Amino acid sequence: MGVTPSNAASLVLPPLAAYVHIPWCVRKCPYCDFNSHVSERGLPEAEYIDALIADLELDLPGAQGRELTSIFFGGGTPSLFSAESLGRLLDAMASRLNFAADIEITLEANPGTFEQIKFAGYRAAGINRLSIGIQSFNAKHLKALGRIHDDKEALAAVAMARKAGFDNLNLDLMHGLPDQSLDDAMADINQAIELGPEHLSWYQLTLEPNTVFYSKPPILPVEDTLWAIQEAGQARLAEAGLAQYEVSAYAQPGRQARHNLNYWQYGDFLGIGAGAHGKLSHADGRIERYWKTRLPRDYLDAAKDYCAGRKVIAAADLPFDFLMNALRLSDGVPTAFYLARTGQPIEAIAPQLNEAVRKGLLEPWDQQLRPTERGRLFLNDLLEMFL
């Protein structure tokens, strides 16, 4: 069942963002479980932009008059598309939705796709943040990960991004790679710090189902090495002024990813593109998640409706749905967010919250829903208390 009408009066429409999925890559990486596909017949760029605009038109009622606070182009490899195409989509979005004056517009980019003129074009089109998929600065590890770039191209990509006028960069970096030592991992961290990114996403390689690595697992570092990398890396990043504000996100002061913060603070987001997901709150108290047709060819053939499914989140599921996002943040969220963004009174889950405090997993929750250091280490155990 959905939230009750009495709760609906307490639900406040949260900030709104937009996610745009570009599903193509040059080559599928063996660890990747995202909705990405190799295009063997060239990119249907113009046709796909047309479909994205038509998809957006159908999603417009969900905006309910709110302005967009952020847009994120994810993939796949969005930087395979031209600046002209992405600019056309942004113009179409701006003509249909109100953009916040300080809107954050992020493009995921692969170092193997960098061209100076192209990236200057992205900046001119209004994209003001890049997320560069470095993964490692070690040529051996990049080859093991199946990346199409090498260490020199990784360094060159950052230099080109700066030259193109981008002053807000995220670098994606992985650790726990095949045959990676503590020294290797720290060399990657130190190289990233030297480049001065405003934001760093640093996370451990995991073997996900439906990937090449899952069916043919590489030899990964042992647990003691993984733990040593985690501890040493976090200490070095903190020393460099990149504060950890989420499980795998580190940022200079004031440079947290606004788009991702909106996810974790249980904001709303439109999702357009093949396989994109969205979340919308409604004035009647319903909170729903929805998803789009996954395969690019099916998405392009979807003449009238790109949506593959919708699900209203049941009242009993809202505590977990909210907290699995909010408690990823080191500082959590204001306690008042729970009522405002779920329509449910916090007192309804007070027994579980108090038990989490008693177990040392959650700080006292009168003002802030914040995990303790132990709670961050055992986040799954904390969340299971709300299932």
Side-chain angles (χ1 to χ4, degrees):
M1 61 180 178
V3 293
T4 63
S6 60
N7 287 340
S10 303
L11 191 149
V12 178
L13 292 181
L16 180 70
Y19 175 79
V20 182
H21 194 74
I22 309 290
W24 289 284
C25 282
V26 174
R27 182 170 66 210
K28 183 82 170 178
C29 295
Y31 59 85
C32 178
D33 68 337
F34 294 132
N35 183 32
S36 59
H37 307 267
V38 176
S39 177
E40 298 176 354
R41 300 181 181 179
L43 295 175
E45 205 166 308
E47 185 183 1
Y48 193 71
I49 295 296
D50 289 341
L52 288 172
I53 295 171
D55 190 359
L56 175 66
E57 287 276 2
L58 296 173
D59 273 8
L60 287 178
Q64 301 178 77
R66 288 172 289 178
E67 65 181 18
L68 282 185
T69 60
S70 66
I71 300 170
F72 194 100
F73 289 95
T77 306
S79 55
L80 290 175
F81 271 35
S82 68
E84 291 75 18
S85 289
L86 298 186
R88 181 161 74 90
L89 176 60
L90 287 173
D91 287 345
M93 296 178 78
S95 70
R96 292 163 173 80
L97 293 160
N98 296 317
F99 282 15
D102 61 346
I103 188 170
E104 175 191 272
I105 305 178
T106 302
L107 176 77
E108 285 188 337
N110 187 317
T113 65
F114 264 71
E115 300 169 18
Q116 192 66 63
I117 294 176
K118 187 178 184 181
F119 280 79
Y122 291 144
R123 187 68 190 90
I127 294 165
N128 53 27
R129 184 175 182 270
L130 285 183
S131 180
I132 306 176
I134 300 288
Q135 312 311 356
S136 175
F137 294 99
N138 183 305
K140 178 183 70 173
H141 293 144
L142 287 169
K143 185 175 181 180
L145 291 172
R147 302 297 288 174
I148 65 170
H149 67 276
D150 61 23
D151 51 326
K152 295 181 179 62
E153 287 173 309
L155 295 172
V158 176
M160 281 191 277
R162 293 301 194 193
K163 188 176 180 182
F166 287 95
D167 60 2
N168 195 359
L169 294 183
N170 170 65
L171 303 185
D172 255 14
L173 207 60
M174 298 172 71
H175 61 89
L177 308 180
D179 199 32
Q180 186 181 48
S181 67
L182 172 59
D183 287 345
D184 290 337
M186 293 309 295
D188 274 348
I189 287 278
N190 287 322
Q191 178 62 83
I193 289 169
E194 186 178 324
L195 293 171
E198 286 70 30
H199 191 282
L200 187 72
S201 298
W202 187 58
Y203 49 93
Q204 183 178 324
L205 171 65
T206 55
L207 305 185
E208 302 290 349
N210 302 315
T211 66
V212 173
F213 273 3
Y214 190 81
S215 59
K216 300 177 181 178
I219 298 175
L220 301 179
V222 298
E223 285 296 323
D224 286 350
T225 301
L226 293 173
W227 184 249
I229 289 172
Q230 187 74 36
E231 285 195 313
Q234 288 180 330
R236 180 69 184 96
L237 290 169
E239 179 186 38
L242 288 160
Q244 183 180 19
Y245 69 97
E246 189 267 343
V247 171
S248 59
Y250 303 76
Q252 293 180 11
R255 293 302 192 124
Q256 294 90 343
R258 269 185 275 160
H259 188 83
N260 290 341
L261 274 177
N262 187 59
Y263 289 150
W264 298 321
Q265 293 174 344
Y266 214 57
D268 280 357
F269 50 98
L270 303 173
I272 63 172
H277 285 239
K279 170 190 169 284
L280 291 172
S281 305
H282 297 277
D284 63 5
R286 287 177 300 120
I287 299 173
E288 68 169 347
R289 294 189 181 274
Y290 65 95
W291 51 97
K292 299 298 174 65
T293 300
R294 184 175 183 274
L295 294 177
R297 64 174 179 271
D298 294 338
Y299 181 84
L300 289 169
D301 287 341
K304 294 182 180 179
D305 190 1
Y306 299 91
C307 191
R310 297 180 182 274
K311 179 182 180 182
V312 174
I313 303 170
D317 296 331
L318 277 170
F320 180 82
D321 201 59
F322 177 89
L323 291 169
M324 74 173 180
N325 290 283
L327 295 182
R328 288 182 64 91
L329 293 168
S330 300
D331 289 335
V333 298
T335 302
F337 273 25
Y338 186 78
L339 174 62
R341 298 192 176 179
T342 69
Q344 293 193 352
I346 192 73
E347 291 76 17
I349 57 170
Q352 296 98 309
L353 293 172
N354 290 334
E355 180 66 7
V357 172
R358 188 188 70 79
K359 289 184 174 181
L361 300 173
L362 192 73
E363 302 284 359
W365 52 273
D366 54 332
Q367 299 295 322
Q368 195 83 357
L369 292 167
R370 177 192 293 125
T372 62
E373 183 176 350
R374 177 180 173 81
R376 290 194 293 273
L377 287 173
F378 298 98
L379 184 57
N380 288 340
D381 294 335
L382 173 56
L383 291 174
E384 283 175 5
M385 299 178 69
F386 300 91
L387 285 172

